Amino acid sequence: MTFELARRLETLRSQGLYRHRLTLETPQTVNITVRGRSLLAFCSNDYLGLAARPEIADAFMDGLRRWGTGGGASHLVNGHFTPHHELETALARFTGRPRALLFGSGYAANVAVLSVFGGMATSVLQDRLNHASLLDGGLLSGTRMVRYLHNDPGSLETHLGRAGDAPLVVTDGVFSMDGDLARLPEIAALTRAHGGLLVVDDAHGFGVLGERGTGSVGHLGLDSDDVPVLVGTLGKSFGTSGAFVAGSEEVIETLIQFAHSYIYTTSTPPALACATLKALELLETADTERAHLSALISTFRTEAAGMGLGLMDSQTPIQPVLLGDNDRAVAASAFLEDQGLLVRAIRPPTVPRGTARLRITFSAAHTHDDLARLLCALKAAKDRGIL
Ligand SMILES: *Cc1c(COP(=O)(O)O)cnc(C)c1O
């Protein structure tokens, strides 16, 4: 076997980088069952607890009865339905942009944006901690790509100086593995000053930050001149599936005409758009959930800092505990699992080498008792030298 699959897999194992899937035997809530065991989970991106909400399931089922199960064709042939149109209109209103365009996943949306606008750019400048889908899309663009220092406007400025007259600048709004907020006002100002186009992927900001859950961009009060291309995903706070790009008439029409990951793929089930319309309504009015999340986050940070845990600079529901070594992160995760808690170890290449971590995430569905259980288990791990 010339591909040497067994050897490659063994290498991963020996480096502590082998990944295993868990099979959930219950819906995506904070209390799940895996291999017959109940676990309190702190690792999903379902920040508002919408993934298993009955109102959204009802909207999905009503949609299924009315529209059937499949889109049946791509959007440009005859797979574009009234619910898709209604959801795009609602997402445009929600983000305060003229148009929005639906995609089957955030991965597909980012590949579309980066391949099309990156392909027209003189350079593609990306934060070095951007999501893998943005980096992959950048490679597909065929344009010279530079990764500037994480959330560092000085580094961005240096690279903009050599980036030609039409740079594409790309950043996560909230960084998925660190939880910190991008310095968007400075990044937007620099991008404009250099005649560039800014793309913000706010997968982890929507629903959590800003008035009505309008995300990092809403939270920081930036408009569509600052952030002309805004990407959001629907599988995180929205609790459903898919993604959208919001922007001007020209931005959206350009994607429709040129983006292969939009054109050459079947539309998502129209019933899914019915479910997401309901999710959007719940997300916009989830002020109580957002306030509860903030309270959980601030208590966690105070208590965890008191224990001397390696917290990161994050005010969002993503609260990683940095460990560094891969095996240590895996051992810490296993210890917590023994205590009935599910927190997954995140290792390279998802994060840079030497920065393996526990990625703790909070959901509005967690109670203060759940948080107390987590803190108690972290304390026990700390006392045993595991953290
Ligand atoms: C999850 C995520 C994506 C991918 O979205 P999917 O809908 O899961 O494909 C893109 N960007 C960021 C920052 C993400 O965290």
Side-chain angles (χ1 to χ4, degrees):
M1 171 54 127
T2 51
F3 291 97
E4 302 184 300
L5 306 188
R7 183 190 57 76
R8 290 171 200 273
L9 292 170
E10 193 40 54
T11 304
L12 275 187
R13 272 195 201 92
S14 69
Q15 293 171 338
L17 291 176
Y18 206 83
R19 301 171 191 233
H20 294 275
R21 299 175 303 171
L22 298 173
T23 303
L24 272 69
E25 293 151 14
T26 48
Q28 184 65 277
T29 62
V30 297
N31 295 294
I32 59 174
T33 302
V34 177
R35 283 182 242 104
R37 242 184 105 221
S38 301
L39 292 170
L40 176 60
F42 289 91
C43 43
S44 86
N45 302 312
D46 179 29
Y47 303 121
L48 296 176
L50 295 185
R53 275 282 281 268
E55 301 96 308
I56 301 175
D58 285 344
F60 210 156
M61 284 192 284
D62 291 346
L64 286 167
R65 278 186 207 99
R66 169 119 192 246
W67 300 100
T69 50
S74 67
H75 283 280
L76 290 173
V77 176
N78 73 340
H80 191 66
F81 292 78
T82 304
H84 294 129
H85 179 76
E86 287 173 355
L87 179 56
E88 288 183 346
T89 306
L91 289 167
R93 176 197 51 74
F94 171 61
T95 55
R97 324 257 142 170
R99 296 273 305 269
L101 186 67
L102 284 174
F103 284 84
S105 72
Y107 193 97
N110 283 338
V111 165
V113 165
L114 269 287
S115 62
V116 170
F117 297 118
M120 298 170 180
T122 48
S123 307
V124 175
L125 278 64
Q126 303 220 35
D127 188 291
R128 66 184 286 269
L129 296 190
N130 274 355
H131 192 263
S133 55
L134 295 166
L135 301 171
D136 289 0
L139 292 176
L140 204 55
S141 74
T143 301
R144 184 182 84 105
M145 185 155 68
V146 178
R147 297 170 75 178
Y148 61 87
L149 296 180
H150 174 55
N151 216 3
D152 184 337
S155 170
L156 171 61
E157 187 166 22
T158 304
H159 290 296
L160 277 167
R162 324 181 197 118
D165 60 359
L168 187 74
V169 177
V170 188
T171 183
D172 283 15
V174 169
F175 289 89
S176 51
M177 297 300 135
D178 289 42
D180 53 334
L181 186 59
R183 294 170 64 174
L184 294 179
E186 291 118 299
I187 293 168
L190 283 169
T191 304
R192 283 169 81 169
H194 286 81
L197 183 67
L198 178 60
V199 176
V200 173
D201 171 2
D202 208 19
H204 299 274
F206 281 113
V208 169
L209 297 173
E211 208 186 327
R212 293 179 295 111
T214 48
S216 314
V217 168
H219 175 69
L220 295 165
L222 300 174
D223 61 25
S224 42
D225 291 333
D226 298 313
V227 183
V229 185
L230 180 56
V231 181
T233 65
L234 302 170
K236 287 161 185 157
S237 285
F238 282 82
T240 61
S241 180
F244 64 89
V245 179
S248 68
E249 189 68 32
E250 293 75 21
V251 161
I252 298 306
E253 281 302 318
T254 301
L255 291 173
I256 293 173
Q257 303 307 320
F258 294 108
H260 286 195
S261 67
Y262 185 75
I263 300 168
Y264 300 107
T265 194
T266 302
S267 66
T268 50
L272 178 61
C274 301
T276 304
L277 268 166
K278 182 45 119 182
L280 174 60
E281 187 188 315
L282 296 177
L283 178 146
E284 283 197 83
T285 53
D287 291 336
T288 314
E289 285 84 348
R290 280 185 279 276
H292 177 60
L293 256 180
S294 294
L296 291 171
I297 294 163
S298 72
T299 306
F300 171 78
R301 288 189 65 83
T302 307
E303 298 291 322
M307 282 179 216
L309 296 183
L311 295 184
M312 300 183 76
D313 176 27
S314 163
Q315 304 300 322
T316 68
I318 303 166
Q319 291 292 332
V321 176
L322 194 61
L323 291 166
D325 181 67
N326 298 335
D327 292 331
R328 258 189 98 201
V330 173
S333 174
F335 175 83
L336 293 176
E337 198 173 328
D338 281 343
Q339 313 286 306
L341 300 172
L342 187 66
V343 180
R344 306 226 68 193
I346 306 288
R347 291 162 282 168
T350 307
V351 291
R353 249 198 286 165
T355 70
R357 66 199 66 184
L358 288 177
R359 180 175 180 268
I360 295 171
T361 57
F362 290 100
S363 161
H366 285 123
T367 63
H368 284 282
D369 282 350
D370 293 337
L371 172 58
R373 262 186 76 191
L374 172 69
L375 287 165
C376 185
L378 291 172
K379 176 89 174 53
K382 182 77 184 165
D383 290 346
R384 284 170 175 74
I386 294 165
L387 286 182

